[in-house]
Amino acid sequence: MPIKKLSTQKTIHEKLSELARNLWWSWQPEVVSVFREIDPVSWSMLQHNPILLLKEYGPDELEIRAREEVLHARIHEAYRRWREYMTSDDTWASTHTGVLGHRPAAYFSAEFGLHESLRIYSGGLGLLAGDHLKSASDLGVPLVAVGLFYYEGYFSQTISPEGWQQEAYNLAQPQDLPISETLAPDGSKLLISVPTRSGPIFARVWTVNVGRIPLYLLDSNVPENKEEDRRLTARLYGGDQRTRIRQEMLLGIGGVKALDALGIHPRVFHMNEGHSAFASLELIRMRVRNDGLDFSAALREVAAMGVFTTHTPVEAGHDRFDGGLIGEHLGPTADELGLNHDGIMGMGRVDPHNHGEPFCMTVLAFKTSRRANAVSNLHGVVSRRMWRNLWPWRSEEEIPIGHITNGVHVNTWLAPQMRVLYDRVLPLNWHVKSGTPEVWAGIESLSAGEIWETHEALKNRLINHARLRLVRQAERHKATAKEIAKLQQILDPQHLLIGFARRFAPYKRADLILRDLEQLAQIIADAEQPVQFVFAGKAHPADNHGKEILKRIHNLAHDARFAGRVVFLEDYDINLARHLVQGVDVWLNNPRRPLEASGTSGQKVVLNGGLNLSVLDGWWAEAFDGRNGFGIGNGLIHVNSEIQDERDAESLMTVLQKDVIPMYYRRDQDGLPLEWIARMKRAVRTLGWRFNADRMVMDYVQQTYVPAAGSTSSAMMVMP
């Protein structure tokens, strides 16, 4: 018999459906637990997608299920909290963002890592962008975001029995995702057109609600496009140079056009990496057309409102295009700007007069932004050196590239079990002011026993998750029952567990620890103090060197000397990352300094009580104090990379054998590693606030957004 409701009262199905369409739920552990408890098996199988989950339950079925699990009060409370969150004006930004409340900041990025069910990300850049939006939402920063809707996303990874990465792409259905088609202000269909010499590229727009922040995603899969262009936004980082430039035209020029069509006129434009730099050219074109400015005046005006964040010192990370591609795609824009071919090419060249130099998106971004930053202190030094020829009249120290070190969104990455502990010793509502150091002082009052017990529970959870994934991998490879039985018992919760998970780019040196396999075998097999390793990560589909490294790591797990102590987990994504950063004892990071611009995975580990074992690069170079983790090397760089690799490999083994392993196994009479636990607590207390996305976003607002918006109350110029 159908269950009746009052006409003015929303059903729990309606309330949960509204919650499911705003990603705010994804960083609220209480709401996540409600969705999970409706149907734990389906929740896992559906990649934690509440929209798909609710499709399996009609209103009446959901009502019955909620009664069985006693969920009504929790659902009503979750809905009430969300409505309060969305309407509250009691935020940090309400007194810190000046005129942005009238005209917001616009944040452009080629990828956004928001949740595992929305696969429009590949790695650290996307996760950083996702955390930026979440913290901006929590802080109440007036901000809109722009990206692309990749309906096949980034690839899913499987590994062949021989160890080779295999890529597969899955078609996403918009109706199964927390997105809705964006309409024009008058309610009509919104279609964006980007001009090129070979004809226009069209795109519709989708909206993803990330708490208070709208994220607009452009999608070229519309009937108005040629078949070639319909697939432009199919895959993230797929295709050739022509595909890449057309994607970036949509992101930059199309993104600005979309905001304008929606009546959104930002006061600040933040380009997260150079992929979106064409946005500045569209802004200049609009000022020339609408306000009668010449190119130079329009460039000056647009650059004043531009913020650019560069994310990598690796040359391959900076997109470059030849003159033919630029002429075809920027020709119409150049015509309106009054620039000839050399003029438009010069905007993307370090030396505008060097006709052999290709067009670089990073150069364009620097030239059209008055505020530019790297993503860690060391990366700032490297970037000023790398791009000093853009300002040949300045000394290296005067190059106008600062730094704002990356941070992570606490509520997304902190395990709920740890949050229960923190709620007891930190100030009331500490999570809404976690970017300040005073908030974290109470961590020291946690007892050694309770923090260690919580960590051990999370470690067990990771090991169980790893076993399930390994069994699935083995079943696909037709493993025997005996082999599967072994995998169901693999990894020992009592043994030191070291994690390594990231992109398998060669400079990240996933195989550094393999340089002396005999020594590694002795460490792993030590009867008194055994060590285990869990690896995960993807190589770019075109990176054969990275695939070779991955193959070597994968096959190590099948070497008799390492079997059972080394595992590789397929298809690294946000869900697997969450388990890893919350459950490992040690997080290993050994890039070739100084090529790691920042890195954020180790920051997530800190929040959950894990310790970093890292080369002094990126964020760790400014974080390690000798007592909050472990450092590899001395921070110096040899000019010969092979010698540097040897030095770092030797240092890694030395620190493992002399510091990490003995400290982990040194226990008191209660079985607690007190010295280790002291480092855990010090890491959380000293690093939790600094490498925090709230602190990062507050820095962006105060150091770049507010000044770019012309909203500072004082500013003094230094006389030369």
Side-chain angles (χ1 to χ4, degrees):
M1 178 177 178
I3 297 170
K4 296 181 179 179
K5 68 180 183 71
L6 297 175
S7 59
T8 58
Q9 184 181 12
K10 290 184 177 179
T11 67
I12 59 171
H13 197 285
E14 290 170 331
K15 288 184 175 182
L16 286 177
S17 295
E18 287 188 47
L19 284 169
R21 292 201 167 272
N22 188 311
L23 286 172
W24 172 84
W25 69 264
S26 69
W27 68 90
Q28 308 299 322
E30 302 88 351
V31 187
V32 173
S33 69
V34 167
F35 284 125
R36 181 191 304 114
E37 290 173 34
I38 291 170
D39 189 335
V41 174
S42 292
W43 180 246
S44 178
M45 292 179 61
L46 297 172
Q47 289 191 305
H48 310 142
N49 183 335
I51 292 175
L52 287 178
L53 179 72
L54 293 174
K55 285 187 175 183
E56 297 194 350
Y57 287 85
D60 293 342
E61 292 86 354
L62 186 64
E63 182 72 31
I64 294 169
R65 185 64 181 149
R67 286 181 179 176
E68 291 173 346
E69 296 298 321
V70 195
L71 296 177
H72 282 84
R74 292 165 60 190
I75 293 170
H76 296 320
E77 173 64 10
Y79 187 80
R80 182 192 64 79
R81 284 182 51 233
W82 173 60
R83 295 305 305 162
E84 288 182 354
Y85 176 94
M86 295 297 294
T87 57
S88 174
D89 192 42
D90 183 20
T91 64
W92 174 86
S94 65
T95 55
H96 289 85
T97 54
V99 298
L100 293 178
H102 172 57
R103 293 174 60 190
Y107 183 89
F108 286 68
S109 183
E111 53 174 301
F112 288 90
L114 296 161
H115 187 259
E116 57 264 30
S117 63
L118 188 60
R119 297 175 73 104
I120 56 171
Y121 66 95
S122 71
L125 180 70
L127 295 180
L128 184 279
D131 282 6
H132 192 108
L133 299 196
K134 293 172 184 177
S135 277
S137 175
D138 289 343
L139 294 167
V141 177
L143 184 140
V144 297
V146 177
L148 298 177
F149 177 59
Y150 306 100
Y151 55 87
E152 292 182 6
Y154 200 53
F155 69 89
S156 297
Q157 177 200 58
T158 56
I159 307 297
S160 73
E162 297 74 31
W164 288 109
Q165 173 178 287
Q166 299 170 321
E167 300 102 23
Y169 292 86
N170 303 308
L171 182 65
Q173 301 296 336
Q175 65 269 24
D176 295 336
L177 299 172
I179 65 176
S180 57
E181 187 161 6
T182 311
L183 301 178
D186 64 1
S188 63
K189 179 177 180 178
L190 180 61
L191 190 69
I192 304 303
S193 173
V194 176
T196 74
R197 292 280 192 230
S198 52
I201 306 170
F202 297 96
R204 59 182 166 183
V205 183
W206 301 95
T207 301
V208 179
N209 291 308
V210 187
R212 300 179 174 107
I213 307 298
L215 165 59
Y216 299 108
L217 301 175
L218 278 77
D219 175 10
S220 70
N221 188 19
V222 294
E224 290 82 0
N225 276 329
K226 296 175 290 186
E227 185 59 31
E228 171 197 14
D229 290 335
R230 293 194 70 160
R231 288 196 55 78
L232 273 182
T233 56
R235 297 178 179 180
L236 173 60
Y237 302 144
D240 56 14
Q241 286 290 88
R242 179 178 168 81
T243 298
R244 177 63 67 90
I245 195 172
R246 292 169 86 80
Q247 284 184 337
E248 295 182 357
M249 291 279 289
L250 273 182
L251 175 61
I253 294 176
V256 172
K257 284 176 171 284
L259 294 179
D260 186 58
L262 291 169
I264 300 171
H265 306 291
R267 190 65 187 86
V268 178
F269 283 81
H270 184 176
M271 294 174 284
N272 187 46
E273 195 52 280
H275 308 114
S276 56
F278 289 143
S280 58
L281 294 181
E282 175 62 14
L283 291 167
I284 294 169
R285 188 195 67 80
M286 291 170 65
R287 294 304 306 275
V288 169
R289 183 196 63 190
N290 297 339
D291 300 315
L293 302 181
D294 63 24
F295 174 76
S296 295
L299 170 60
R300 184 172 60 250
E301 295 278 328
V302 168
M305 60 196 293
V307 176
F308 171 53
T309 301
T310 179
H311 280 270
T312 180
V314 179
E315 277 294 329
H318 301 277
D319 290 334
R320 289 177 167 84
F321 302 111
D322 63 39
L325 285 173
I326 292 298
E328 177 188 354
H329 293 92
L330 288 185
T333 300
D335 292 345
E336 291 201 52
L337 297 178
L339 297 177
N340 60 21
H341 182 71
D342 286 341
I344 196 69
M345 286 294 294
M347 291 299 295
R349 288 171 171 162
V350 174
D351 178 2
H353 305 293
N354 179 1
H355 297 293
E357 183 181 345
F359 186 102
C360 177
M361 297 294 285
T362 304
V363 172
L364 174 63
F366 277 128
K367 287 186 175 183
T368 56
S369 304
R370 288 291 170 267
R371 291 166 179 84
N373 69 280
V375 291
S376 71
N377 190 312
L378 178 58
H379 183 223
V381 174
V382 173
S383 296
R384 288 187 287 275
R385 185 172 304 144
M386 183 176 184
W387 299 105
R388 63 187 182 276
N389 290 336
L390 276 170
W391 299 273
W393 59 91
R394 295 178 183 265
S395 67
E396 189 174 299
E397 293 73 21
E398 295 174 321
I399 299 302
I401 303 174
H403 78 275
I404 294 176
T405 302
N406 287 343
V408 298
H409 185 245
V410 172
N411 284 354
T412 292
W413 298 105
L414 180 65
Q417 297 91 325
M418 278 291 179
R419 181 166 172 172
V420 170
L421 285 188
Y422 294 178
D423 283 347
R424 191 171 58 75
V425 298
L426 300 185
L428 184 66
N429 294 325
W430 64 272
H431 55 281
V432 301
K433 45 193 173 184
S434 63
T436 55
E438 301 81 11
V439 165
W440 296 86
I443 291 295
E444 294 292 350
S445 64
L446 285 171
S447 73
E450 61 186 340
I451 193 171
W452 187 249
E453 182 180 347
T454 304
H455 168 68
E456 290 286 87
L458 292 169
K459 184 176 177 181
N460 272 281
R461 176 172 169 266
L462 164 60
I463 289 174
N464 288 332
H465 185 72
R467 289 170 177 170
L468 288 172
R469 294 178 79 114
L470 289 167
V471 166
R472 286 202 300 268
Q473 292 171 207
E475 289 174 341
R476 197 179 67 250
H477 294 152
K478 310 300 182 185
T480 66
K482 184 177 180 180
E483 290 170 332
I484 289 175
K486 284 184 179 180
L487 292 175
Q488 290 170 334
Q489 300 299 319
I490 203 168
L491 301 176
D492 190 326
Q494 301 304 312
H495 297 169
L496 176 64
L497 182 60
I498 299 175
F500 181 102
R502 51 190 40 84
R503 284 189 302 118
F504 268 65
Y507 79 88
K508 292 181 181 286
R509 300 188 300 185
D511 56 348
L512 186 70
I513 200 165
L514 310 187
R515 291 181 78 92
D516 188 338
L517 285 178
E518 292 304 320
Q519 185 180 19
L520 179 61
Q522 291 173 11
I523 291 174
I524 283 178
D526 188 299
E528 298 294 324
Q529 299 180 338
V531 180
Q532 308 165 114
F533 288 86
V534 55
F535 288 89
K538 297 178 178 179
H540 188 279
D543 183 3
N544 290 325
H545 187 184
K547 290 181 180 180
E548 289 280 0
I549 295 172
L550 190 154
K551 178 176 182 285
R552 191 176 177 210
I553 295 288
H554 175 272
N555 290 347
L556 192 72
H558 300 282
D559 185 317
R561 294 170 295 175
F562 306 101
R565 299 286 177 83
V566 176
V567 301
F568 182 91
L569 304 179
E570 292 178 340
D571 206 23
Y572 185 45
D573 67 356
I574 289 177
N575 182 40
L576 178 53
R578 190 184 300 118
H579 282 84
L580 288 167
V581 301
Q582 293 174 359
V584 296
D585 296 309
V586 173
W587 194 250
L588 177 61
N589 183 41
N590 42 235
R592 185 176 291 124
R593 178 182 163 114
L595 298 181
E596 181 88 314
S598 174
T600 56
S601 57
Q603 299 170 355
K604 298 158 190 166
V605 171
V606 163
L607 294 174
N608 293 287
L611 294 181
N612 279 270
L613 169 59
S614 177
V615 167
L616 302 178
D617 197 9
W619 77 281
W620 193 239
E622 64 194 76
F624 179 53
D625 69 2
R627 292 186 292 159
N628 56 8
F630 304 95
I632 300 170
N634 58 10
L636 302 180
I637 306 169
H638 197 282
V639 294
N640 185 311
S641 61
E642 181 61 30
I643 294 175
Q644 187 63 49
D645 289 351
E646 287 289 349
R647 285 180 175 179
D648 288 345
E650 182 179 345
S651 175
L652 168 56
M653 287 300 190
T654 299
V655 174
L656 264 178
Q657 291 179 292
K658 291 189 175 181
D659 297 325
V660 178
I661 298 172
M663 188 182 298
Y664 179 83
Y665 284 104
R666 198 154 45 237
R667 308 297 176 101
D668 70 356
Q669 64 272 21
D670 296 319
L672 297 175
L674 296 181
E675 190 177 357
W676 187 277
I677 293 169
R679 289 202 178 212
M680 291 169 62
K681 293 199 289 185
R682 182 174 180 83
V684 176
R685 178 172 61 82
T686 61
L687 306 178
W689 71 272
R690 281 183 64 193
F691 302 99
N692 182 312
D694 282 9
R695 186 275 311 156
M696 175 187 73
V697 171
M698 290 190 288
D699 282 351
Y700 274 110
V701 168
Q702 295 174 319
Q703 302 296 324
T704 67
Y705 294 178
V706 169
S711 189
T712 54
S713 297
S714 65
M716 301 300 293
M717 305 304 294
V718 178
M719 296 295 289

